[in-house]
Structure formats: C-alpha cells, structure tokens
Amino acid sequence: MSLKILSGLEVSKHLYSQYIQKISKLKTKNIIPGLAVVLVGDNPASKIYVRSKTKKFNDLDLHSTTIKVENSTTEDDLIKIINKLNNDKKYHGILVQLPLPNHIDKNKIINSIDPKKDVDGFHPENVGLLSIGSPRFIPCTPKGIIRLMEFYNISLKNKHVVVVGRSNLVGRPISILASSKGEFLNGTTTICHSGTPDLSIYTKTADVLISAIGKTEFLTSNHIKRDAILIDVGINKISSNNSKGYRIVGDFKWDSISKVASYATPVPGGVGPMTIAMLIENTIIAAELYS
Ligand code: GUN
C-alpha cells in the first residue's frame, strides 16, 4: 500500500467554504465573530503563529485584534487586560498565546478567561466538560486532528491510538477526545511521555500514532507498525541552505516512515492548518452561542 497524505491544507480550504455560510448568517444578525489575541513578549515562534491565525480572520472578514504586551508585564496587569476583554462584546473569543514568561503562572491566566470565550478550550471548566463527554470548546489541535481523519473517512473505532506527549494543549486532550463516545471516535488510547521506558514497545502497537513531542524527526520506521496512520503535531525548525536558511519538519522522519505507514500528515500542511481552522470554528461557535 502506498502512503496517502492527510492534507490539512486541502481539508481546511473545504471547511472555510462552509464557515463562509455561517459567517454570512451571523452578519444578517449584525454579529461578526471576533477574537482577541494576547501576545506577551517577543517569542519569534509565537509571533509567527499569531500572525498566521489573525491573517485567516482577516481573510474571512472576521474581527480580530492582537494585544501585544511587554515580556516584563505582571500577572496582575495581564489579568486586568483579560477582564476587560471578558466584558467586551466585540470579542467572542480570547486567546492568550503560550508559552508565557516564567514569572507568570499560566494556569492563573487561563483561569481568568471567561470559559464561554475560551476558544482554546484550556480553561478547567472546558477541560472538565470534554472529560465528561459534554464538550463546549474542544482544544483546536485535537479537534483539527479528528476533523482531518473524519474527512478521509478514518474512524478510530476498533483502533489502538497511541499518543506521544502529555501536554494540556495536545497530548492529554487528544487522548480524552479519541477515546470519547461518538462518530469517528471510540478509539482505545494509550498515552506515552518523556518518562515512558522503551517507547517503541508502545508505538509499534499503534494503529494510529499521534506525536506531539516537538523532537526533530525523532520517530522512524523502527517505531511504527506496517500500515500505521501517523499524525504529526511537531513543528521543528532545522537549518537548511534554502533562501530562508531553515525549514520546518515534524516529529516523524518522513523518508523512513513513508515506506511503512498507510497515511500520514505532512509538516507543513498537515495538522497546522487544521488548528487554525478550528480556532475560527470555535470563535464562530462562541459567537453563535453567546452573543
Ligand atoms: N501555543 C502553541 N499552540 C497554542 C495554542 O493552540 N493556543 C495557545 N493559546 N497558545 C499556543
């Protein structure tokens, strides 16, 4: 079986055409879905992510603003900014770009976002709702992964899904979502992490292997079984002699896995565009439910 590509770029284009109809419907009620992004400091990767997120909002004629604050901002000042946004009707969604500087307690900041505007799905109320099977906002990357597989008619039912990485952004929520009841879900999940001894014992049993560890080309054909479905969340920068001086690669070593896997997401063009599409989808949901 030759490798089939799971193209987030293609699927997200298809989704945007559906969103346009929802956006038009909201406009007839004078509602324009709006997102406020808070960017603390000058982390170069965060700046690029935020730019690509807000660009999509602009392309779709949605409302978005980026509030840039100094790296030295205090926790209290940041909470004041969030409180203002919580009470601003223009913004249906609030996203505080992570990571935050070390002097700021990420959890305190996430907890201060109105859970009905938490389009990232990181607030404990939304994490809890996902855990009990009544999700409100599902974190964008996990939701995008499921949507991507849905598009290619890949169900997780009767499949062993192995997740590598236990972050609150991706690893934990995708393991909860994949094992939830629902169409295309019902997977049996295992979660591996940096403390897992002999990772390949687990990864080799995966029908669907999801990597979110951010380690350049770490997983190879030695970690996977024949015809596995591979989902690569990694976005890793490596030096290159192209005009930019770098290129982006995933957690899987493409040349190695491409002869063994049945489906795989490319990097770039796989999970990344789906994450942005889901941010737009969650903001539209917030506008529909709570304006
Ligand atoms: N940093 C990397 N990914 C994300 C994300 O999905 N949301 C936020 N808020 N920060 C991030």
Side-chain angles (χ1 to χ4, degrees), residues 97-128:
Q97 185 66 23
L98 303 173
L100 291 171
N102 289 337
H103 67 276
I104 295 177
D105 180 343
K106 173 182 75 183
N107 291 332
K108 262 195 196 162
I109 300 304
I110 291 171
N111 292 358
S112 72
I113 298 172
D114 177 347
K116 293 192 168 106
K117 292 192 175 192
D118 168 40
V119 285
D120 259 330
F122 295 162
H123 189 286
E125 187 173 309
N126 290 318
V127 175

mmCIF file of all heavy atoms in Angstrom, residues 97-128:
data_model
loop_
_atom_site.group_PDB
_atom_site.id
_atom_site.type_symbol
_atom_site.label_atom_id
_atom_site.label_comp_id
_atom_site.label_asym_id
_atom_site.label_seq_id
_atom_site.Cartn_x
_atom_site.Cartn_y
_atom_site.Cartn_z
ATOM 1 N N GLN A 97 -1.647 33.657 23.851
ATOM 2 C CA GLN A 97 -0.663 32.782 23.196
ATOM 3 C C GLN A 97 0.331 32.239 24.219
ATOM 4 O O GLN A 97 0.881 32.983 25.031
ATOM 5 C CB GLN A 97 0.051 33.578 22.084
ATOM 6 C CG GLN A 97 1.012 32.753 21.235
ATOM 7 C CD GLN A 97 0.331 31.684 20.386
ATOM 8 O OE1 GLN A 97 -0.855 31.760 20.061
ATOM 9 N NE2 GLN A 97 1.080 30.650 20.032
ATOM 10 N N LEU A 98 0.561 30.950 24.174
ATOM 11 C CA LEU A 98 1.518 30.281 25.061
ATOM 12 C C LEU A 98 2.781 29.944 24.260
ATOM 13 O O LEU A 98 2.696 29.775 23.046
ATOM 14 C CB LEU A 98 0.891 29.002 25.627
ATOM 15 C CG LEU A 98 -0.430 29.199 26.390
ATOM 16 C CD1 LEU A 98 -1.038 27.854 26.755
ATOM 17 C CD2 LEU A 98 -0.212 30.049 27.636
ATOM 18 N N PRO A 99 3.945 29.836 24.841
ATOM 19 C CA PRO A 99 4.198 29.932 26.275
ATOM 20 C C PRO A 99 4.217 31.375 26.780
ATOM 21 O O PRO A 99 4.394 32.313 26.012
ATOM 22 C CB PRO A 99 5.598 29.318 26.387
ATOM 23 C CG PRO A 99 6.252 29.589 25.070
ATOM 24 C CD PRO A 99 5.147 29.555 24.061
ATOM 25 N N LEU A 100 4.045 31.486 28.115
ATOM 26 C CA LEU A 100 4.159 32.778 28.776
ATOM 27 C C LEU A 100 5.511 32.856 29.474
ATOM 28 O O LEU A 100 6.113 31.816 29.780
ATOM 29 C CB LEU A 100 3.023 32.921 29.802
ATOM 30 C CG LEU A 100 1.618 33.054 29.211
ATOM 31 C CD1 LEU A 100 0.562 32.959 30.303
ATOM 32 C CD2 LEU A 100 1.473 34.355 28.434
ATOM 33 N N PRO A 101 5.996 34.078 29.768
ATOM 34 C CA PRO A 101 7.262 34.191 30.509
ATOM 35 C C PRO A 101 7.179 33.444 31.854
ATOM 36 O O PRO A 101 6.089 33.297 32.415
ATOM 37 C CB PRO A 101 7.405 35.695 30.732
ATOM 38 C CG PRO A 101 6.483 36.347 29.773
ATOM 39 C CD PRO A 101 5.399 35.373 29.444
ATOM 40 N N ASN A 102 8.341 33.013 32.347
ATOM 41 C CA ASN A 102 8.376 32.170 33.552
ATOM 42 C C ASN A 102 7.764 32.819 34.794
ATOM 43 O O ASN A 102 7.270 32.120 35.671
ATOM 44 C CB ASN A 102 9.832 31.786 33.886
ATOM 45 C CG ASN A 102 10.352 30.797 32.878
ATOM 46 O OD1 ASN A 102 9.565 30.085 32.229
ATOM 47 N ND2 ASN A 102 11.679 30.754 32.703
ATOM 48 N N HIS A 103 7.800 34.174 34.863
ATOM 49 C CA HIS A 103 7.279 34.812 36.091
ATOM 50 C C HIS A 103 5.751 34.845 36.112
ATOM 51 O O HIS A 103 5.150 35.304 37.084
ATOM 52 C CB HIS A 103 7.864 36.228 36.249
ATOM 53 C CG HIS A 103 7.389 37.192 35.205
ATOM 54 N ND1 HIS A 103 7.968 37.308 33.964
ATOM 55 C CD2 HIS A 103 6.371 38.085 35.199
ATOM 56 C CE1 HIS A 103 7.345 38.222 33.259
ATOM 57 N NE2 HIS A 103 6.364 38.708 33.985
ATOM 58 N N ILE A 104 5.129 34.391 35.043
ATOM 59 C CA ILE A 104 3.661 34.402 35.000
ATOM 60 C C ILE A 104 3.134 32.975 35.125
ATOM 61 O O ILE A 104 3.599 32.067 34.432
ATOM 62 C CB ILE A 104 3.167 35.055 33.686
ATOM 63 C CG1 ILE A 104 3.583 36.528 33.668
ATOM 64 C CG2 ILE A 104 1.654 34.914 33.536
ATOM 65 C CD1 ILE A 104 3.241 37.269 32.421
ATOM 66 N N ASP A 105 2.169 32.813 36.037
ATOM 67 C CA ASP A 105 1.572 31.492 36.251
ATOM 68 C C ASP A 105 0.506 31.273 35.164
ATOM 69 O O ASP A 105 -0.559 31.901 35.191
ATOM 70 C CB ASP A 105 0.953 31.448 37.660
ATOM 71 C CG ASP A 105 0.295 30.113 37.976
ATOM 72 O OD1 ASP A 105 0.015 29.341 37.032
ATOM 73 O OD2 ASP A 105 0.052 29.859 39.175
ATOM 74 N N LYS A 106 0.866 30.394 34.235
ATOM 75 C CA LYS A 106 -0.011 30.130 33.077
ATOM 76 C C LYS A 106 -1.433 29.747 33.522
ATOM 77 O O LYS A 106 -2.431 30.207 32.951
ATOM 78 C CB LYS A 106 0.654 28.985 32.301
ATOM 79 C CG LYS A 106 -0.108 28.424 31.174
ATOM 80 C CD LYS A 106 0.652 27.266 30.544
ATOM 81 C CE LYS A 106 0.570 26.032 31.410
ATOM 82 N NZ LYS A 106 1.309 24.875 30.950
ATOM 83 N N ASN A 107 -1.528 28.931 34.562
ATOM 84 C CA ASN A 107 -2.853 28.452 34.995
ATOM 85 C C ASN A 107 -3.724 29.591 35.525
ATOM 86 O O ASN A 107 -4.919 29.630 35.276
ATOM 87 C CB ASN A 107 -2.723 27.347 36.042
ATOM 88 C CG ASN A 107 -2.164 26.087 35.405
ATOM 89 O OD1 ASN A 107 -2.359 25.861 34.200
ATOM 90 N ND2 ASN A 107 -1.458 25.281 36.171
ATOM 91 N N LYS A 108 -3.083 30.532 36.256
ATOM 92 C CA LYS A 108 -3.848 31.683 36.775
ATOM 93 C C LYS A 108 -4.430 32.487 35.617
ATOM 94 O O LYS A 108 -5.561 32.966 35.678
ATOM 95 C CB LYS A 108 -2.915 32.595 37.579
ATOM 96 C CG LYS A 108 -2.992 32.363 39.061
ATOM 97 C CD LYS A 108 -2.338 33.533 39.755
ATOM 98 C CE LYS A 108 -2.029 33.179 41.186
ATOM 99 N NZ LYS A 108 -1.049 34.081 41.781
ATOM 100 N N ILE A 109 -3.631 32.626 34.574
ATOM 101 C CA ILE A 109 -4.062 33.420 33.410
ATOM 102 C C ILE A 109 -5.204 32.708 32.690
ATOM 103 O O ILE A 109 -6.232 33.315 32.373
ATOM 104 C CB ILE A 109 -2.855 33.664 32.454
ATOM 105 C CG1 ILE A 109 -1.751 34.430 33.182
ATOM 106 C CG2 ILE A 109 -3.292 34.369 31.177
ATOM 107 C CD1 ILE A 109 -2.160 35.746 33.800
ATOM 108 N N ILE A 110 -5.026 31.415 32.451
ATOM 109 C CA ILE A 110 -6.082 30.654 31.750
ATOM 110 C C ILE A 110 -7.374 30.683 32.568
ATOM 111 O O ILE A 110 -8.463 30.851 32.027
ATOM 112 C CB ILE A 110 -5.604 29.209 31.477
ATOM 113 C CG1 ILE A 110 -4.483 29.228 30.428
ATOM 114 C CG2 ILE A 110 -6.752 28.315 31.019
ATOM 115 C CD1 ILE A 110 -3.780 27.904 30.220
ATOM 116 N N ASN A 111 -7.240 30.559 33.897
ATOM 117 C CA ASN A 111 -8.423 30.553 34.772
ATOM 118 C C ASN A 111 -9.163 31.888 34.764
ATOM 119 O O ASN A 111 -10.340 31.944 35.126
ATOM 120 C CB ASN A 111 -8.035 30.225 36.215
ATOM 121 C CG ASN A 111 -7.564 28.793 36.361
ATOM 122 O OD1 ASN A 111 -7.568 28.046 35.390
ATOM 123 N ND2 ASN A 111 -7.154 28.407 37.557
ATOM 124 N N SER A 112 -8.461 32.964 34.372
ATOM 125 C CA SER A 112 -9.108 34.285 34.401
ATOM 126 C C SER A 112 -9.907 34.565 33.122
ATOM 127 O O SER A 112 -10.655 35.537 33.054
ATOM 128 C CB SER A 112 -8.064 35.388 34.629
ATOM 129 O OG SER A 112 -7.279 35.549 33.466
ATOM 130 N N ILE A 113 -9.759 33.712 32.114
ATOM 131 C CA ILE A 113 -10.525 33.906 30.866
ATOM 132 C C ILE A 113 -11.953 33.400 31.098
ATOM 133 O O ILE A 113 -12.152 32.332 31.688
ATOM 134 C CB ILE A 113 -9.874 33.104 29.704
ATOM 135 C CG1 ILE A 113 -8.449 33.610 29.429
ATOM 136 C CG2 ILE A 113 -10.719 33.168 28.437
ATOM 137 C CD1 ILE A 113 -7.659 32.762 28.429
ATOM 138 N N ASP A 114 -12.943 34.177 30.644
ATOM 139 C CA ASP A 114 -14.341 33.721 30.718
ATOM 140 C C ASP A 114 -14.437 32.382 29.958
ATOM 141 O O ASP A 114 -14.131 32.326 28.768
ATOM 142 C CB ASP A 114 -15.224 34.794 30.055
ATOM 143 C CG ASP A 114 -16.701 34.388 30.012
ATOM 144 O OD1 ASP A 114 -17.008 33.212 30.253
ATOM 145 O OD2 ASP A 114 -17.526 35.277 29.700
ATOM 146 N N PRO A 115 -14.851 31.296 30.632
ATOM 147 C CA PRO A 115 -14.881 29.986 29.945
ATOM 148 C C PRO A 115 -15.756 29.979 28.694
ATOM 149 O O PRO A 115 -15.538 29.167 27.803
ATOM 150 C CB PRO A 115 -15.429 29.025 30.998
ATOM 151 C CG PRO A 115 -15.653 29.795 32.235
ATOM 152 C CD PRO A 115 -15.223 31.214 32.041
ATOM 153 N N LYS A 116 -16.690 30.913 28.601
ATOM 154 C CA LYS A 116 -17.541 30.987 27.402
ATOM 155 C C LYS A 116 -16.840 31.729 26.260
ATOM 156 O O LYS A 116 -17.363 31.823 25.156
ATOM 157 C CB LYS A 116 -18.878 31.650 27.737
ATOM 158 C CG LYS A 116 -19.719 30.785 28.670
ATOM 159 C CD LYS A 116 -21.130 31.287 28.768
ATOM 160 C CE LYS A 116 -22.016 30.280 29.444
ATOM 161 N NZ LYS A 116 -22.394 30.623 30.799
ATOM 162 N N LYS A 117 -15.653 32.298 26.553
ATOM 163 C CA LYS A 117 -14.857 32.934 25.493
ATOM 164 C C LYS A 117 -13.552 32.171 25.267
ATOM 165 O O LYS A 117 -12.706 32.595 24.479
ATOM 166 C CB LYS A 117 -14.545 34.396 25.873
ATOM 167 C CG LYS A 117 -15.771 35.297 25.890
ATOM 168 C CD LYS A 117 -15.378 36.770 25.969
ATOM 169 C CE LYS A 117 -16.611 37.662 25.866
ATOM 170 N NZ LYS A 117 -16.250 39.084 25.663
ATOM 171 N N ASP A 118 -13.406 31.059 25.962
ATOM 172 C CA ASP A 118 -12.134 30.307 25.932
ATOM 173 C C ASP A 118 -12.091 29.396 24.696
ATOM 174 O O ASP A 118 -12.240 28.172 24.790
ATOM 175 C CB ASP A 118 -12.035 29.497 27.240
ATOM 176 C CG ASP A 118 -10.931 28.468 27.206
ATOM 177 O OD1 ASP A 118 -9.840 28.771 26.672
ATOM 178 O OD2 ASP A 118 -11.166 27.338 27.702
ATOM 179 N N VAL A 119 -11.851 30.006 23.541
ATOM 180 C CA VAL A 119 -11.903 29.255 22.276
ATOM 181 C C VAL A 119 -10.728 28.276 22.138
ATOM 182 O O VAL A 119 -10.736 27.423 21.254
ATOM 183 C CB VAL A 119 -11.975 30.211 21.068
ATOM 184 C CG1 VAL A 119 -13.362 30.804 20.956
ATOM 185 C CG2 VAL A 119 -10.921 31.307 21.146
ATOM 186 N N ASP A 120 -9.726 28.382 22.994
ATOM 187 C CA ASP A 120 -8.637 27.402 23.045
ATOM 188 C C ASP A 120 -9.077 26.110 23.748
ATOM 189 O O ASP A 120 -8.442 25.069 23.594
ATOM 190 C CB ASP A 120 -7.472 27.972 23.879
ATOM 191 C CG ASP A 120 -6.332 28.505 23.023
ATOM 192 O OD1 ASP A 120 -6.124 27.984 21.917
ATOM 193 O OD2 ASP A 120 -5.643 29.427 23.490
ATOM 194 N N GLY A 121 -10.108 26.233 24.595
ATOM 195 C CA GLY A 121 -10.566 25.069 25.371
ATOM 196 C C GLY A 121 -9.614 24.660 26.478
ATOM 197 O O GLY A 121 -9.583 23.495 26.872
ATOM 198 N N PHE A 122 -8.860 25.627 27.008
ATOM 199 C CA PHE A 122 -7.852 25.307 28.034
ATOM 200 C C PHE A 122 -8.352 25.556 29.462
ATOM 201 O O PHE A 122 -7.720 25.118 30.430
ATOM 202 C CB PHE A 122 -6.579 26.143 27.829
ATOM 203 C CG PHE A 122 -5.830 25.856 26.547
ATOM 204 C CD1 PHE A 122 -4.893 26.764 26.050
ATOM 205 C CD2 PHE A 122 -6.030 24.668 25.841
ATOM 206 C CE1 PHE A 122 -4.187 26.508 24.871
ATOM 207 C CE2 PHE A 122 -5.333 24.403 24.663
ATOM 208 C CZ PHE A 122 -4.407 25.324 24.187
ATOM 209 N N HIS A 123 -9.442 26.340 29.611
ATOM 210 C CA HIS A 123 -9.954 26.634 30.956
ATOM 211 C C HIS A 123 -10.441 25.346 31.621
ATOM 212 O O HIS A 123 -11.046 24.488 30.949
ATOM 213 C CB HIS A 123 -11.117 27.637 30.835
ATOM 214 C CG HIS A 123 -11.582 28.171 32.149
ATOM 215 N ND1 HIS A 123 -12.318 27.416 33.036
ATOM 216 C CD2 HIS A 123 -11.397 29.382 32.730
ATOM 217 C CE1 HIS A 123 -12.577 28.146 34.107
ATOM 218 N NE2 HIS A 123 -12.024 29.339 33.944
ATOM 219 N N PRO A 124 -10.186 25.176 32.946
ATOM 220 C CA PRO A 124 -10.578 23.928 33.618
ATOM 221 C C PRO A 124 -12.047 23.560 33.404
ATOM 222 O O PRO A 124 -12.368 22.368 33.324
ATOM 223 C CB PRO A 124 -10.299 24.205 35.097
ATOM 224 C CG PRO A 124 -9.287 25.289 35.108
ATOM 225 C CD PRO A 124 -9.479 26.096 33.851
ATOM 226 N N GLU A 125 -12.922 24.566 33.275
ATOM 227 C CA GLU A 125 -14.344 24.252 33.041
ATOM 228 C C GLU A 125 -14.511 23.527 31.699
ATOM 229 O O GLU A 125 -15.251 22.546 31.591
ATOM 230 C CB GLU A 125 -15.156 25.557 33.051
ATOM 231 C CG GLU A 125 -16.650 25.323 32.982
ATOM 232 C CD GLU A 125 -17.437 26.626 33.173
ATOM 233 O OE1 GLU A 125 -17.186 27.362 34.144
ATOM 234 O OE2 GLU A 125 -18.299 26.903 32.327
ATOM 235 N N ASN A 126 -13.783 24.005 30.693
ATOM 236 C CA ASN A 126 -13.886 23.374 29.367
ATOM 237 C C ASN A 126 -13.157 22.036 29.313
ATOM 238 O O ASN A 126 -13.599 21.109 28.635
ATOM 239 C CB ASN A 126 -13.382 24.340 28.296
ATOM 240 C CG ASN A 126 -14.345 25.500 28.126
ATOM 241 O OD1 ASN A 126 -15.564 25.296 28.111
ATOM 242 N ND2 ASN A 126 -13.821 26.710 28.051
ATOM 243 N N VAL A 127 -12.046 21.932 30.048
ATOM 244 C CA VAL A 127 -11.329 20.644 30.136
ATOM 245 C C VAL A 127 -12.254 19.619 30.795
ATOM 246 O O VAL A 127 -12.372 18.475 30.330
ATOM 247 C CB VAL A 127 -10.014 20.799 30.942
ATOM 248 C CG1 VAL A 127 -9.325 19.455 31.137
ATOM 249 C CG2 VAL A 127 -9.070 21.782 30.258
ATOM 250 N N GLY A 128 -12.941 20.065 31.864
ATOM 251 C CA GLY A 128 -13.865 19.177 32.582
ATOM 252 C C GLY A 128 -15.019 18.736 31.689
ATOM 253 O O GLY A 128 -15.382 17.562 31.668
#
